[in-house]
Amino acid sequence: MFLRNGLKSFLGGVHPADGKSLASGSPVEVLPPPAELVVPMAQHIGKPAKAVVKKGDVVKKGQLIGEASGPVSAAVHAPVSGSVTKVDRIPGIFGRHVEAVFLANDGKEEWHESVHADCPDAAVTPEEARKRIAGAGLVGMGGATFPTSVKLSPPKGKNIEILVINGVECEPYLTSDYRLMIERPDDILKGAEILKAAVGAKRVIIAVEANKPDAFSLLKGKISGREGLEAEMLAVRYPQGGERQLINALTGREVPSGAAGTADTSVLVHNVGTAVAAYEAVTFGIPLIGRVVCVTGEGVNKPSNFLARIGTPISALIEKAGGMKDNASRVILGGPMMGLSMDDLSMPVTKGTSGVLVLEKREVPASGPCINCGRCVRACPAGLIPALLSRVVESGKPELATENNVMDCIECGCCSYVCPARRPMVQHMKLGKLHAAKQKAKQ
Amino acid sequence: MGLEVMITLGLLIGILGIVFGIGLAVASRFFSVYMDPRIETVAGMLPGANCGGCGKAGCANFAEALVHGSAEVGGCSACGAETSKKIASFLGLKAPDAERRAAVLKCNGRSVKNRFEYHGVSDCVAASLVMGGPKACRYGCLGLGTCVRACPFGALEIRDRMPFVNEYRCVACGSCVSACPKRLYDIVPVSKTVHVRCRNLDRGKMVKEACEVGCIACKKCEKACPHDAIHVIDNVARIDYEKCTSCEKCVEGCPSKSISNDGIKVTVRQAREAAGVP
């Protein structure tokens, strides 16, 4: 176990400026859905969902519009009631086009018959809970968007002893999980109990970083006396919220190199947002059609937290947050460390959009050759040698990156953050991983 | 006394020598692998660039496959017609009579504007990961030279923001085809000179906003072609080279000038100039 200031932590990482005071005081505001929504079929890791509606179809809120295709996939549901205007390709955030269902909102907000929003179900069996979670299209809401039902079914022979509810939110600026913990702690705990039963865990640990002491005390107060629930405060260090770093800090266990999930450590991690969504799905049959999105940054006039439906264009959120300032230069989906820059503000909110960060114009320094200083090695939370990986990819030998475990890179950005030569290292890692995946596909 | 030592040493070394000699002779008998002597000769005839265009692991591997009959002489596109004939006659096989082929870039968007400032690795694959690249056309050439670096024969170079194919150097190995993240290269017989220089799958206004010479899928070419050789499929015109006779009727009618008739002809002239050949 590794301690920083007496609190549990992990080796490596960085400590960027917090930036959370911009939006942390803004209570979650419900953003009414616009007249037109664009719902992509690919909002998760794995195969995109397959659209089961066509132009002209009338849909109710929460109705299935895309069914999961394959073992690692997730269903997609209509965020509003209305009609399908078309099913077409839209440019995706990763460069490839993705299929999307275009909906015209009729404003009636009529739920589909499978949803019983006013009538909660009594406790269900773990198997039934898993089925409802799969049927609701739940994915990891921390941003990774891994299909939740797949995570709840570990491979044979591996059992889950500890369920960790991730309230760490280590990315600077973002406060969506913080507001959820402050405003809906009971729902988080109800969801935690459901997930605990669904996966058969014995202990639940709610993890919060030390920069959110009020959220921690609130949750700790609510769980006192309850069997099997614990809360732990962790040292502030990016990327403490990464599941491997979280498991390591809390239990000292290490996820083995190359492992796809965390089942080998008998620990499972779920985001607080996923816990709330699980509660809503299992108790009321409400599918995942909206989430808390934090719109923040120095480039936006009124940093806020919104409860937005999936399919809402980012431009609508920025407008509701007072619009962009004149010196705004970058719009990032996610946080400043791992988020993705975007230029098309008509792109929709998806299940994984934890935040929209608008940054001011800043000088981008030129990058140079590696000076072998070793800062990245010290910063890497995955124990890799980023300098080596970056250099071999840059010099056209990506196969050496595969040999040196580039697949274990979590793309957290710590290496790029500390590099004095300003090398675009995370991009090199992504290229190295692309090459490794291509080679694997060839075999 | 000195003499005894010298004789003993001499005998010792002599015996060691004989023992090792016998050992080597035995090993060379039992551990030898029979290599068909033709493989070395054929490997010597091949260009030796190890470009991988044949699908084998280098020229030596390809030579082995040729001699064992698991590959065809035509499999090596880097061989010229003469070399292919030489190899074929040496092995007692029929010479391939496939026409020479070369790479063609299906994009002419050198004047396409940027949607955003890209700061990152100067590579097309890397740039393509960021919202499809900085160009207004998400399907077109990014001009950062990934193909140029991938070509083992130095047949590509960036000229006025876009790659230029030197037909004299191109051996149609296919490295550029796999390197380009937008899949803009095709391997085409050199006699075909008419090409649709666009792969944009949007249509009409969206294309015009992105690029002046993009295919807007108006289908004028399809109607103009007397050989049924060009069709608009998924919003972009595509030429069936088996049917195309390079009559250029589609080129005349195209309102956005997306079809070029410079093909390889002009490229040959430019290639000659570039190579300093009269």
Side-chain angles (χ1 to χ4, degrees), chain A residues 89 91-97 330 341-344 347 361 364 424 427-428 430-431 434 438, chain B residues 115-121 123 125-132 138-139 178 183 201-202 234:
Chain A
R89 254 194 310 242
I93 187 90
F94 294 114
R96 298 197 172 252
H97 284 74
R330 255 194 252 217
S341 273
M342 48 155 357
D343 72 301
D344 184 358
M347 281 184 81
K361 187 150 185 76
V364 180
Q427 243 195 330
H428 289 140
K430 290 187 185 184
L431 289 174
L434 246 183
K438 248 197 246 173
Chain B
R115 292 188 338 259
F116 56 84
E117 270 176 46
Y118 170 68
H119 293 281
V121 179
D123 175 79
V125 176
S128 195
L129 288 176
V130 186
M131 297 289 300
R138 279 190 169 81
Y139 304 87
S178 11
R183 305 248 189 287
L201 300 182
D202 297 325
D234 203 7

Side-chain angles (χ1 to χ4, degrees), chain B residues 102-108 186-198 230 237-239 241 244 246 250-251 257-265 267:
Chain B
V104 171
L105 180 68
K106 297 296 177 78
C107 178
N108 222 351
D186 267 349
I187 304 293
V188 176
V190 295
S191 64
K192 305 291 178 187
T193 56
V194 177
H195 306 290
V196 177
R197 302 269 190 188
C198 184
I230 184 166
R238 297 155 205 261
I239 291 179
Y241 291 107
C244 177
S246 307
C250 54
V251 181
K257 303 216 182 330
S258 314
I259 313 180
S260 66
N261 60 344
D262 54 357
I264 304 290
K265 280 199 297 235
T267 316

Side-chain angles (χ1 to χ4, degrees), chain B residues 172-251:
Chain B
C173 70
S175 303
C176 53
V177 178
S178 11
C180 177
K182 303 289 184 185
R183 305 248 189 287
L184 292 172
Y185 280 101
D186 267 349
I187 304 293
V188 176
V190 295
S191 64
K192 305 291 178 187
T193 56
V194 177
H195 306 290
V196 177
R197 302 269 190 188
C198 184
R199 281 259 154 94
N200 188 316
L201 300 182
D202 297 325
R203 64 170 188 280
K205 196 167 125 214
M206 254 182 98
V207 177
K208 267 276 167 261
E209 280 168 1
C211 175
E212 282 174 0
V213 292
C215 172
I216 55 173
C218 65
K219 297 201 178 176
K220 283 223 176 87
C221 53
E222 215 179 289
K223 297 187 187 106
C225 179
H227 304 284
D228 190 36
I230 184 166
H231 300 96
V232 171
I233 303 169
D234 203 7
N235 293 331
V236 76
R238 297 155 205 261
I239 291 179
D240 179 354
Y241 291 107
E242 309 256 305
K243 296 186 183 159
C244 177
T245 62
S246 307
C247 71
E248 299 184 16
K249 287 257 178 344
C250 54
V251 181

Side-chain angles (χ1 to χ4, degrees), chain A residues 315-388:
Chain A
S315 52
L317 273 81
I318 294 181
E319 200 189 303
K320 200 76 203 283
M324 291 196 277
K325 291 192 186 153
D326 288 329
N327 60 354
S329 152
R330 255 194 252 217
V331 178
I332 297 174
L333 281 186
M337 300 297 284
M338 282 183 78
L340 299 168
S341 273
M342 48 155 357
D343 72 301
D344 184 358
L345 295 181
S346 68
M347 281 184 81
V349 169
T350 64
K351 296 175 183 176
T353 311
S354 45
V356 176
L357 180 61
V358 184
L359 293 178
E360 304 173 302
K361 187 150 185 76
R362 257 174 238 180
E363 185 83 32
V364 180
S367 73
C370 173
I371 63 171
N372 250 319
C373 67
R375 282 198 200 168
C376 56
V377 181
R378 251 180 287 166
C380 180
L384 300 171
I385 303 179
L388 170 67

Side-chain angles (χ1 to χ4, degrees), chain B residues 60-152:
Chain B
N61 198 220
F62 181 63
E64 207 183 311
L66 274 178
V67 171
H68 291 153
S70 58
E72 293 188 4
V73 184
C76 173
S77 50
C79 289
E82 258 186 58
T83 318
S84 293
K85 262 199 227 132
K86 217 167 66 174
I87 297 177
S89 76
F90 174 75
L91 291 174
L93 300 167
K94 195 161 107 49
D97 56 3
E99 189 195 340
R100 233 196 108 215
R101 305 194 304 160
V104 171
L105 180 68
K106 297 296 177 78
C107 178
N108 222 351
R110 48 179 42 85
S111 312
V112 174
K113 302 256 183 315
N114 283 341
R115 292 188 338 259
F116 56 84
E117 270 176 46
Y118 170 68
H119 293 281
V121 179
S122 194
D123 175 79
C124 306
V125 176
S128 195
L129 288 176
V130 186
M131 297 289 300
K135 293 287 175 189
C137 173
R138 279 190 169 81
Y139 304 87
C141 174
L142 296 170
L144 294 172
T146 301
C147 54
V148 176
R149 289 186 286 274
C151 177

Side-chain angles (χ1 to χ4, degrees), chain A residues 49-89:
Chain A
K50 206 157 170 312
V52 292
V53 291
K54 56 186 190 304
K55 182 171 170 175
D57 283 355
V58 169
V59 296
K60 292 273 189 294
K61 190 162 81 169
Q63 181 172 331
L64 183 77
I65 56 174
E67 59 183 17
S69 53
V72 184
S73 186
V76 182
H77 302 79
V80 291
S81 58
S83 58
V84 180
T85 42
K86 61 172 170 169
V87 178
D88 201 3
R89 254 194 310 242

Side-chain angles (χ1 to χ4, degrees), chain A residues 99-420:
Chain A
E99 206 182 33
V101 172
F102 288 66
L103 292 173
N105 185 2
D106 67 5
K108 298 202 191 124
E109 299 284 312
E110 285 172 342
W111 281 112
H112 186 250
E113 62 207 10
S114 60
V115 178
H116 38 98
D118 300 317
C119 170
D121 265 345
V124 300
T125 63
E127 201 184 316
E128 177 66 25
R130 287 199 295 271
K131 230 173 89 192
R132 290 190 189 186
I133 285 173
L138 282 210
V139 301
M141 308 265 285
T145 68
F146 192 83
T148 308
S149 55
V150 178
K151 244 172 135 170
L152 290 172
S153 316
K156 265 205 163 47
K158 304 214 165 101
N159 68 328
I160 301 297
E161 182 201 327
I162 304 173
L163 172 69
V164 176
I165 299 294
N166 190 350
V168 171
E169 198 163 47
C170 52
E171 279 265 15
Y173 291 102
L174 299 189
T175 57
S176 20
D177 288 348
Y178 167 69
R179 290 309 314 181
L180 208 56
M181 289 191 284
I182 295 282
E183 297 176 28
R184 294 179 72 177
D186 294 304
D187 293 345
I188 293 175
L189 293 174
K190 285 196 192 126
E193 300 266 23
I194 289 173
L195 290 171
K196 174 177 175 229
V199 80
K202 303 202 178 46
R203 289 166 63 194
V204 175
I205 307 178
I206 313 214
V208 183
E209 249 187 353
N211 56 7
K212 298 181 260 294
D214 47 351
F216 178 72
S217 333
L218 184 61
L219 285 163
K220 187 133 188 169
K222 293 218 177 252
I223 66 175
S224 70
R226 279 161 82 163
E227 181 78 39
L229 286 177
E230 307 161 37
E232 184 94 38
M233 188 186 256
L234 297 165
V236 181
R237 191 83 179 167
Y238 175 85
Q240 181 63 84
E243 63 181 8
R244 293 171 186 199
Q245 287 64 45
L246 198 47
I247 292 174
N248 185 245
L250 287 172
T251 66
R253 301 180 201 178
E254 258 184 43
V255 176
S257 161
T262 59
D264 285 311
T265 57
S266 300
V267 184
L268 204 62
V269 179
H270 279 295
N271 181 267
V272 286
T274 315
V276 173
Y279 161 68
E280 290 184 343
V282 172
T283 319
F284 302 103
I286 297 179
L288 184 52
I289 56 168
R291 62 158 301 142
V292 179
V293 183
C294 172
V295 182
T296 182
E298 286 89 9
V300 76
N301 279 314
K302 215 167 45 103
S304 322
N305 297 291
F306 297 119
L307 179 62
R309 307 277 170 93
I310 58 174
T312 308
I314 300 290
S315 52
L317 273 81
I318 294 181
E319 200 189 303
K320 200 76 203 283
M324 291 196 277
K325 291 192 186 153
D326 288 329
N327 60 354
S329 152
R330 255 194 252 217
V331 178
I332 297 174
L333 281 186
M337 300 297 284
M338 282 183 78
L340 299 168
S341 273
M342 48 155 357
D343 72 301
D344 184 358
L345 295 181
S346 68
M347 281 184 81
V349 169
T350 64
K351 296 175 183 176
T353 311
S354 45
V356 176
L357 180 61
V358 184
L359 293 178
E360 304 173 302
K361 187 150 185 76
R362 257 174 238 180
E363 185 83 32
V364 180
S367 73
C370 173
I371 63 171
N372 250 319
C373 67
R375 282 198 200 168
C376 56
V377 181
R378 251 180 287 166
C380 180
L384 300 171
I385 303 179
L388 170 67
L389 296 170
S390 165
R391 274 156 42 192
V392 298
V393 169
E394 193 186 40
S395 48
K397 291 195 166 3
E399 58 279 357
L400 288 176
T402 320
E403 275 174 36
N404 284 286
N405 303 100
V406 73
M407 292 311 276
D408 286 327
C409 167
I410 60 171
E411 293 177 31
C412 65
C414 290
C415 51
S416 301
Y417 184 78
V418 297
C419 178

